[in-house]
Amino acid sequence: MRAALEQALAGLGPIAVAVSGGVDSLTLATIAHRAASEQPRQEPPLMVHAVSPAVPGEATERVRAEAAREGWRLRVIEAGEFADPAYRENPVNRCFFCKTNLYGAIRRVTDRQMVSGANLDDLGEYRPGLDAAREHGVRHPFVEAQFSKAMVRALARDLGLGAVAELPAAPCLSSRVETGIRIEPETLAFIHAVERLVGEDLAETGPKRAVRCRVRAAGIVVELDAQSLAGLTEPAKIDLGRRIAARAPDRLAAAPVSFAPYRTGSAFLVGSAR
């Protein structure tokens, strides 16, 4: 399968890899760079990482660290989606506007073939970002080589990427905001701060587990995996809730804080399409 991936990459010509800082894009960037370095006539790929309030700082740090370690050609750009009113309104297809701005920003710095880290698992979900990719002619080498998420992780381990191979799924911070609630930079900064706070508390009692801070119309909901939620006593919830409320921006100052089981994509409300 690795040979099929390298063949797919070789057939694309000079490429620009959209690197978010997650396991998929980092693995794709690594294999593309290493494969090109073994072919003297093949131009090394350009890695492009976009920063925005929706991208955690740790992701950018991870990309820069891997770029330095591997010797990538890296461009860090502004994604620009926060200048787009359609994105800020947070409709059901928000990701379409996010990726439209991302690919437009990449196209402004290079005319290379753009590629993403999408894999077969992504095709089974509602991913409006893939529609934006199609409109911009973006290719998905993992899909073309028939790689699932598990296969991407296995490849990352085979490439010696260590902790990168075990990175949990980490969609952008805007995915934590319930559909229809306007996306604000200060809201995303709060969400990130809460997830770090809760994650650090959980790390004291065991390995880091699932933590999502959802901003909903009904209030702030911290979603945890079953084991973490079961181990959180009522006094601990009260204490944690107070610390979370103390970090809330003005618009969320009066919002109640609650805890619930983790559900993938639970802030996404299909019925809220506009």
Side-chain angles (χ1 to χ4, degrees):
M1 295 300 288
R2 177 169 173 172
L5 177 61
E6 291 178 341
Q7 184 176 4
L9 287 165
L12 294 174
I15 61 173
V17 185
V19 188
S20 67
V23 58
D24 299 316
S25 62
L26 286 171
T27 302
L28 180 63
T30 300
I31 190 69
H33 176 78
R34 293 186 188 179
S37 67
E38 295 172 0
Q39 303 294 329
R41 296 182 182 178
Q42 189 170 333
E43 194 170 347
L46 172 67
M47 315 308 178
V48 185
H49 174 71
V51 295
S52 91
V55 178
E58 303 97 286
T60 300
E61 292 170 9
R62 196 179 301 125
V63 171
R64 290 189 184 279
E66 289 299 320
R69 187 168 73 94
E70 294 283 335
W72 295 344
R73 294 179 58 195
L74 175 66
R75 287 286 300 270
V76 177
I77 63 174
E78 293 285 339
E81 77 273 30
F82 276 74
D84 185 349
Y87 169 84
R88 297 287 295 278
E89 288 177 5
N90 195 17
V92 70
N93 62 339
R94 181 199 66 247
C95 290
F96 173 82
F97 301 105
C98 173
K99 295 300 186 183
T100 293
N101 282 279
L102 169 65
Y103 297 133
I106 294 175
R107 180 54 68 221
R108 286 191 287 274
V109 300
T110 180
D111 61 359
R112 291 169 171 240
Q113 171 63 56
M114 291 183 282
V115 299
S116 88
N119 61 70
L120 290 177
D121 290 21
D122 298 320
L123 304 184
E125 303 174 354
Y126 175 58
R127 295 280 181 129
L130 291 176
D131 295 332
R134 191 178 306 111
E135 290 188 4
H136 285 79
V138 178
R139 301 279 291 271
H140 312 296
F142 283 139
V143 173
E144 295 177 24
Q146 298 292 292
F147 267 65
S148 65
K149 184 78 169 190
M151 293 169 67
V152 173
R153 291 192 185 279
L155 176 60
R157 295 184 193 102
D158 187 51
L159 293 171
L161 294 183
V164 167
E166 311 307 326
L167 285 172
C172 80
L173 294 172
S174 294
S175 68
R176 277 76 149 166
V177 182
E178 190 172 82
T179 301
I181 297 176
R182 183 176 170 83
I183 302 295
E184 301 289 358
E186 59 268 25
T187 301
L188 303 189
F190 165 70
I191 288 169
H192 189 218
V194 170
E195 292 186 354
R196 286 177 63 93
L197 169 67
V198 177
E200 289 168 2
D201 273 22
L202 293 180
E204 295 177 1
T205 59
K208 187 173 182 180
R209 303 185 178 96
V211 179
R212 288 289 187 273
C213 174
R214 310 290 192 191
V215 172
R216 302 184 182 281
I220 299 160
V221 182
V222 177
E223 294 184 353
L224 302 172
D225 61 275
Q227 183 177 350
S228 298
L229 186 60
L232 204 60
T233 65
E234 284 306 313
K237 287 181 181 178
I238 292 171
D239 174 66
L240 198 49
R242 286 173 178 164
R243 287 188 284 153
I244 289 170
R247 289 167 168 75
D250 290 344
R251 64 172 296 271
L252 296 174
V257 178
S258 61
F259 297 84
Y262 170 63
R263 291 188 298 118
T264 303
S266 67
F268 175 72
L269 303 180
V270 177
S272 297
R274 299 190 226 178

